[in-house]
Amino acid sequence: MLRLVLAVLVLGFTIYTLVDCVQTPDDEVRGLPKVLWVVVILLFPLAGGGAWYFGGRPSVPSLTRDRP
């Protein structure tokens, strides 16, 4: 039962980070190009998702940024 719960959590985290990466505008992605982030997230679900969350996402959400 615990394995199933962990598998579902990893799958949910991977889907969340993948969707977040794909929906982020290209000019706001940090570190790597967006296509490489997608590959990293798919190849290494936990490490890639964590790297995206802490190193690839925009540091300030675009909805809260001051706009001219």
Side-chain angles (χ1 to χ4, degrees):
M1 182 68 170
L2 181 61
R3 287 183 189 173
L4 179 63
V5 171
L6 290 175
V8 169
L9 287 175
V10 169
L11 181 63
F13 180 67
T14 303
I15 291 172
Y16 168 77
T17 55
L18 188 62
V19 169
D20 187 40
C21 179
V22 169
Q23 289 183 345
T24 301
D26 289 340
D27 59 335
E28 294 182 14
V29 174
R30 298 183 302 157
L32 299 172
K34 189 191 303 192
V35 174
L36 287 178
W37 276 117
V38 170
V39 171
V40 168
I41 292 168
L42 290 175
L43 288 179
F44 310 102
L46 288 177
W52 163 254
Y53 190 76
F54 292 110
R57 292 180 71 195
S59 56
V60 177
S62 52
L63 293 178
T64 60
R65 230 186 296 183
D66 294 329
R67 299 195 180 209

